[in-house]
Amino acid sequence: METKKPYAENTALLERSRQGDEKATEALMLANGGLVRNIAARFEGRGVDAEDLFQIGFIGLLKAIRTFDPSRACAFSTYAVPLIFGEIRRHLRDEGPIKVSRTQKRLAAMLAREREQAIKRGENPRIEDLAAACGVTPAEAAVALDAMAPIRSLSETLFGEEDGPTLDDTVTDEDEAERTFHHLALSMSIDKLSPLRKKIILLRYWRDLSQQQVADQLGLTQVKVSREEKKIIAFLREELS
């Protein structure tokens, strides 16, 4: 039998939180911390510290707690996912290109001077050479130069060709974030399944085995696999509706 403990726990804590119980709010934040960390991990490598991403994600979680409608036909975690994603993406969009530290600005200026001097000497310096001259690592030099790079228009053509492809042609599909929401929500719902049902899902939909092949591998009858599969689908529909 599938456990409803996480769902019931969220429901009880949400009810107490709406009544002004701050301890319930804190407990709800802790109970869903794993969700926030999983989402924040998807944005690592964007120039923001991992722990900062985690804390920003918690802002989205708190917004979800404050705005969740218990009459919605979906689990709280499913509702919270896009708000957490949105908060992190908003921070990266609004703060990322603008906030450049003074240290990075100074380093970028030093690297630029070293490059100019090397070019005057007839050299073609690599970033490793520039970094060594400034006493920093190549990674630090790359981050500083990238932070000071001018923002380019999406209508700008590549390779300087008038009729060539534009930067907009290389932008990732805008629907990607929405697909990520759905994939993460599905993954979270599958995590609630029993070990046996997880194996059935893996064999049926990831390895593309027939019900009879799954039954043979798990030592079950084809009828048992069919019944379990119907229950799994009904459970996932309820979780994701």
Side-chain angles (χ1 to χ4, degrees), residues 23-213:
K23 290 185 177 180
T25 301
E26 292 177 8
L28 195 58
M29 300 275 283
L30 290 174
N32 291 275
L35 170 63
V36 177
R37 192 168 292 280
N38 285 339
I39 295 175
R42 293 173 177 265
F43 293 90
E44 290 183 8
R46 305 283 187 90
V48 179
D49 183 76
E51 193 60 31
D52 289 342
L53 290 172
F54 184 47
Q55 296 302 324
I56 295 163
F58 262 118
I59 296 175
L61 177 62
L62 183 59
K63 288 182 178 179
I65 293 172
R66 301 302 189 198
T67 60
F68 180 70
D69 183 352
S71 64
R72 289 176 180 270
C74 72
F76 168 72
S77 56
T78 303
Y79 173 79
V81 165
L83 274 72
I84 298 169
F85 261 103
E87 196 64 34
I88 295 176
R89 293 182 70 213
R90 186 179 302 107
H91 176 84
L92 293 174
R93 182 193 66 212
D94 295 344
E95 302 294 331
I98 299 173
K99 301 292 184 179
V100 179
S101 69
R102 292 182 179 178
T103 300
Q104 286 184 326
K105 290 179 180 179
R106 285 196 295 268
L107 177 56
M110 291 172 58
L111 291 164
R113 285 195 297 270
E114 288 294 336
R115 176 184 289 165
E116 289 177 2
Q117 292 174 5
I119 292 174
K120 288 179 180 179
R121 294 194 299 268
E123 301 172 358
N124 185 22
R126 301 174 303 169
I127 193 167
E128 292 87 350
D129 302 325
L130 298 175
C134 295
V136 298
T137 66
E140 290 171 331
V143 169
L145 291 173
D146 184 64
M148 296 303 296
I151 298 175
R152 302 172 66 184
S153 169
L154 290 177
S155 61
E156 180 180 339
T157 58
L158 300 174
F159 316 120
E161 300 177 359
E162 290 186 6
D163 298 327
T166 65
L167 289 176
D168 188 41
D169 295 328
T170 68
V171 175
T172 304
D173 186 354
E174 286 294 329
D175 293 333
E176 181 180 357
E178 184 175 355
R179 288 195 295 271
T180 301
F181 300 158
H182 295 321
H183 290 167
L184 183 58
L186 177 60
S187 176
M188 291 167 52
S189 298
I190 290 176
D191 282 343
K192 298 178 183 179
L193 295 171
S194 66
L196 173 61
R197 292 184 176 179
K198 286 181 181 178
K199 289 179 181 178
I200 292 175
I201 285 289
L202 172 65
L203 295 174
R204 283 285 287 137
Y205 296 96
W206 268 261
R207 298 187 183 175
D208 201 26
L209 300 185
S210 67
Q211 289 184 347
Q212 186 59 59
Q213 289 173 320

